[in-house]
Amino acid sequence: MRRSGWLLLLVASTSMANIEPETIGTSTMAKPASTWLMVHGALGPAYVFDTATGDMQGLLSLSRFTPAVETRVDAGELYAAESFYSRGPRGERTDLLTIYDMTTLAPVGEVELPQKIAALGFLQYIELLDDQRHVAVYNMTPAASVSLVDVEDREFASEISTPGCALIMGTANRGFLQICGDGSLQLIRVDANGDESQRVRSRKFFSIEDDPVFDKPVQTPEGWLLTSYQGQVFDVTVDGDDINISEPWSLLTDDDKTDSWSPGGGQFIAYHESQDLLFVLVNADGEFSHDSAGSEVWIFDRSAERRIGRLSLEHPGTNLFVSQNDAPLLTVTGDDMQLYVFDVETLTLVRTISEVGWAPGLLQGF
Amino acid sequence: MNITERMLGWLDDTVAHSSRNLARRSSRRRFLGRLGAVLVGASTLPLLPVSRANAEGPKELGDPQSCDYWRYCALGGTLCTCCGGSVTTCPPGAEPSPISWIGTCHNPVDDKDYLISYNDCCGKATCNRCFCHRSERDLPVYSPAKANDILWCFGTESRSYHCTVAIVLGEATT
């Protein structure tokens, strides 16, 4: 044994003499493209992929309670509400807004938050306001409130109580909308210090018992788009102090309803801005199927308010993401926990991305 | 709670079939009408608009380790019955959340509707066994008392989610 050991060492020494020894380093992440997305695991990390190639670009280590990530590409920063215990599942709790560098994916700043951040994956649990300075974080204890953080000065600004209303949907003039349990919307604005300066309530426009709107709004160029369990679509805009809610149109024809189609899934809707297209996961499972995986994706011309395409899924889909480039790619998380990437123009599958993290959840762009 | 909303999202065919059958037999409005007032917090339990179950509880059939068990009609999470606990007790070392969300489920044995309290068990690592996600009468998070898409470890030493139990509060009454 000893003789063979010397022999191996001799061979290794000989090999080393013939090549330049390699050194270890650390990659940096390129500036994200429109086809990039984050796959946020239910219990922590977010995997970054380019859906145009299928290649992983890096990983964000997030707390297991982080609901979503907010991006500020121009500043090269990502913001995540995080919650930690000092001894894993127990110990002293610390809630933070962590600022991550978009190149190194490393934390470069922390702001301590009230120990109230809402957990589980919802895109609108965190929002960078239009001043590009204040990040709003949704809290639930289960009392509802919103924490404001000044990310320029890296300091906590304020906490605003929002009883009966949830989510944070950014609007102009340092404002955000919320959906309220009485079937209305709430508009809150903050001043330059992040303190509440205005609060307005809309008319009641939906019935929580008959047909609630999903807690998954999508942003449009004009405002926000809300969808109800039964497929009614509302456009919401803010004009000064007024919250305007359109008359609804329906994703579903009478025949669709007869066949029990309805929207559903964890992240059931996505919007392509320049082509004004809506992508909606639908299932034919009938009542109480708002969380069920979709067997098809329906594509709608939003301004024409009509369906223009159907995509049947081999693996029912739970989450959707559409890239915002001119040749959009639609990514669907299948119930087998793989990502299926489709070319929108041809509705053909272009690639499958596997091993996207344990319990893949929200899909987010940059 | 729905800690694994996406990881759970994956109802097996049996569960989906069972849910649809139950949904077909049930009127959404009827159930919502019966659900009545907002129900949050164990401290409010004496005020619930229910008649308490009798001492023996309802007659039941089914496997409490299966997602299609009748009590789990609005449960999102991991079943404590698969994690060393029972349908009404947290596994060893886990702390029951005193605050819960409420579902209304139909018991096929006696053909009655019951109010079910889904309490999360907290303070330990996620059990990760017997994932279950059903959404009968589940509402969005802006109506939290009836929403299962919320981590319901509130009022506990730690918010770390372990699993969920399903406790019969009583027969649902109009």
Side-chain angles (χ1 to χ4, degrees), chain A residues 15 74 78 117 119 127 155 218 220 224 228 243-244 281 300 313 318:
Chain A
S15 301
D74 291 345
L78 299 158
I117 71 163
E127 185 84 326
E155 64 181 20
V218 292
T220 65
W224 289 88
S228 77
I243 305 170
N244 300 314
L281 279 167
F300 295 86
L313 301 173
T318 58

Side-chain angles (χ1 to χ4, degrees), chain A residues 287-309:
Chain A
E287 198 173 29
F288 310 132
S289 64
H290 51 278
D291 283 346
S292 299
S295 56
E296 296 188 13
V297 178
W298 289 0
I299 304 161
F300 295 86
D301 180 328
R302 185 174 75 104
S303 57
E305 300 179 358
R306 67 183 179 88
R307 189 177 65 210
I308 60 170

Side-chain angles (χ1 to χ4, degrees), chain A residues 78-108:
Chain A
L78 299 158
Y79 307 106
E82 305 199 90
S83 188
F84 299 98
Y85 286 90
S86 59
R87 289 180 169 78
R90 60 192 169 85
E92 186 178 346
R93 175 176 174 177
T94 305
D95 284 16
L96 301 168
L97 184 80
T98 307
I99 298 107
Y100 287 94
D101 180 272
M102 206 175 284
T103 304
T104 64
L105 299 182
V108 293

Side-chain angles (χ1 to χ4, degrees), chain A residues 327-345:
Chain A
L329 296 172
L330 177 70
T331 302
V332 183
T333 309
D335 62 357
D336 58 351
M337 302 189 200
Q338 298 192 92
L339 302 186
Y340 294 90
V341 182
F342 298 89
D343 178 278
V344 168
E345 188 175 336

Side-chain angles (χ1 to χ4, degrees), chain A residues 42-61:
Chain A
L43 290 178
Y47 290 65
V48 182
F49 288 96
D50 183 355
T51 59
T53 64
D55 291 334
M56 183 168 168
Q57 308 296 318
L59 179 140
L60 266 177
S61 295

Side-chain angles (χ1 to χ4, degrees), chain A residues 42-43 64-65 85 89-91 93 117-122 125 140-142 164-167 179-181 206 208-210 212-216 229 265-266 285 287-288 290-293 318-319 334-335 337 358-362, chain B residues 1-7 9-11 20 23-24 26-29 31-33 36 40 99 123-126 128 131 133-144 146 148-152 154-161:
Chain A
L43 290 178
R64 59 191 300 142
F65 300 98
Y85 286 90
R90 60 192 169 85
R93 175 176 174 177
I117 71 163
L120 300 190
F122 282 86
Y125 274 5
M140 194 178 204
T141 63
C165 303
L167 308 179
I179 306 177
C180 305
F206 70 91
I208 183 81
E209 294 196 348
D210 292 338
V213 296
F214 281 93
D215 41 22
K216 287 139 188 169
Y229 281 16
D285 296 342
E287 198 173 29
F288 310 132
H290 51 278
D291 283 346
S292 299
T318 58
N319 294 62
D335 62 357
M337 302 189 200
W358 188 79
L362 280 183
Chain B
M1 85 115 230
N2 184 20
I3 194 151
T4 44
E5 175 195 3
R6 272 4 101 198
M7 83 188 155
W10 302 298
L11 298 175
R20 284 195 293 273
R24 275 194 288 271
S26 313
S27 154
R28 174 184 174 79
R29 290 193 184 193
F31 273 116
L32 289 169
V40 186
I99 303 173
K124 304 191 73 170
T126 306
N128 288 345
F131 302 133
H133 188 99
R134 292 170 61 186
S135 302
E136 292 174 32
R137 289 162 292 280
D138 159 59
L139 291 177
V141 294
Y142 55 79
S143 184
K146 303 168 197 168
N148 72 5
D149 224 351
I150 289 170
L151 197 164
W152 277 98
F154 292 120
T156 48
E157 282 292 311
S158 163
R159 296 209 70 202
S160 186
Y161 172 75

Side-chain angles (χ1 to χ4, degrees), chain A residues 10-23:
Chain A
L10 181 62
V11 170
S13 302
T14 304
S15 301
M16 286 173 64
N18 292 338
I19 61 166
E20 189 72 22
E22 295 178 333
T23 57

